[in-house]
Amino acid sequence: MVEEVQEKELRSVLERAPKARKGLIVGGPPCQGFTVLNRDREGFDDPRSAGIDRFVDLVAMVRRAAPEVEWDYLLENVATMTDFNRQEITRKTETLGRVTTVKYDAREVGVVTRPRLYWLNWEFGTEETDDM
């Protein structure tokens, strides 16, 4: 579990790759609290939605544990969420620095055939969108 990861443990693991200069942290916290397919969705009041905060904390911890590495991140979740929840996730990821929000249909890269939202900290090869 992410909440059980300690910075000391991360340092120990990352010391095994002393030549690393670039890293990527990818996460997809549970979406049940956000998806409009769940009539009883509770947004950030759903305990599973705390995975967003845990992901942000993990990225910050990894960056502290190995500051010599340039760390990028990609956070994925459902596109069928309220504007409020999308904006709140954006606000939370902005604490990590630059953020790009992208809506992308997962069928382009796999078997899942539905649009997804991605928050990342690098330039993506498509236009950002505010009308998600």
Side-chain angles (χ1 to χ4, degrees):
M1 299 293 288
V2 171
E3 63 269 14
E4 296 172 3
V5 175
Q6 300 295 316
E7 195 169 327
K8 180 181 174 183
E9 295 169 23
L10 283 173
R11 275 194 204 101
S12 175
V13 169
L14 294 169
E15 285 172 357
R16 297 179 196 159
K19 295 181 181 181
R21 295 295 167 249
K22 187 95 168 139
L24 177 63
I25 305 160
V26 178
C31 65
Q32 293 90 338
F34 301 118
T35 181
V36 297
L37 298 176
N38 176 2
R39 281 185 241 162
D40 300 322
R41 70 185 176 278
E42 299 178 41
F44 282 95
D45 290 332
D46 185 317
R48 295 169 290 193
S49 299
I52 302 294
D53 291 319
R54 290 183 187 125
F55 178 82
V56 170
D57 292 344
L58 179 65
V59 172
M61 188 186 317
V62 169
R63 286 177 171 174
R64 284 191 309 271
E68 69 282 359
V69 177
E70 181 183 340
W71 291 102
D72 287 328
Y73 69 84
L74 181 141
L75 173 68
E76 174 273 338
N77 215 287
V78 296
T80 60
M81 66 174 61
T82 65
D83 287 343
F84 173 82
N85 287 327
R86 180 178 51 83
Q87 292 165 357
E88 186 64 11
I89 293 171
T90 299
R91 186 189 67 73
K92 290 172 182 284
T93 54
E94 283 175 339
T95 64
L96 300 169
R98 174 182 176 215
V99 63
T100 301
T101 307
V102 177
K103 184 177 182 180
Y104 194 76
D105 197 319
R107 72 176 162 204
E108 298 294 329
V109 294
V111 296
V112 177
T113 58
R114 59 185 172 267
R116 311 301 285 174
L117 291 177
Y118 298 89
W119 289 263
L120 43 116
N121 67 323
W122 70 86
E123 190 72 29
F124 190 75
T126 186
E127 291 182 28
E128 289 185 51
T129 181
D130 290 326
D131 61 339
M132 293 186 222

